[in-house]
Amino acid sequence: MRKSQARNLVQAALLAAVTAVLSQIQLSIGPVPFNLAVLGAYLAGMLMTPGWAVISLTVYMAMGLVGVPVFAGMMAGPAALFGKTGGYVIGYIAIAGVTAAARRLDKPVVTALGMAVGLLLCYGFGTAWFMVVTGTTLVQSLAWCVTPFILPDICKAACAYVLGRLLQQRMAQAGLLQ
Ligand SMILES: O=C(O)CCCC[C@@H]1SC[C@@H]2NC(=O)N[C@@H]21
């Protein structure tokens, strides 16, 4: 295995682990919890190529699927992934991939747009999944799955942008950035 590939693997694993930890910083505010997993997905997008960002969040999802308690509230297993909030976990992969693809163009506005598109995809998967699993109407699902999170999730995106830029600079100095 080439050195750069090994480095990418380690970074992807680290960001999956960071997302797992951030996912546990949560508040139960209704059927969908508030947590910081989205921040982990954004950081993966800020720090890795699109392919590796997608791999990182897929590893996060796979860890949860096989029983590692990485989902919100230390949940794990197929029942958790296919439960009412499982759609967001697919959405994290979209956030990481779209953010990373937008960041490649190296324009703050494009990165912000990519972050917004990723979040919309995450909300789309999360809400559709929630509706299918619970049989809730669209209006009620949006009230539970999207409305309470818009402002906090924008703040998470802004934090990830600032933190990501700082880490990018440090990683570039250390020769770790692609
Ligand atoms: O069961 C899980 O691990 C998924 C939890 C999903 C929480 C979603 S992610 C987008 C939105 N922002 C939050 O803080 N909570 C919801």
Side-chain angles (χ1 to χ4, degrees), residues 21-62:
V21 172
L22 290 173
S23 182
Q24 308 316 319
I25 302 173
Q26 69 143 12
L27 280 176
S28 263
I29 57 164
V32 178
F34 166 90
N35 74 1
L36 297 185
V38 160
L39 178 59
Y42 276 132
L43 279 173
M46 287 297 294
L47 296 173
M48 286 183 287
T49 62
W52 281 104
V54 164
I55 288 171
S56 176
L57 271 295
T58 304
V59 166
Y60 167 79
M61 183 181 72

Side-chain angles (χ1 to χ4, degrees), residues 159-173:
C159 286
Y161 184 85
V162 173
L163 194 58
R165 296 289 298 193
L166 281 172
L167 287 169
Q168 278 165 25
Q169 285 166 12
R170 294 293 155 90
M171 286 165 70
Q173 282 163 7

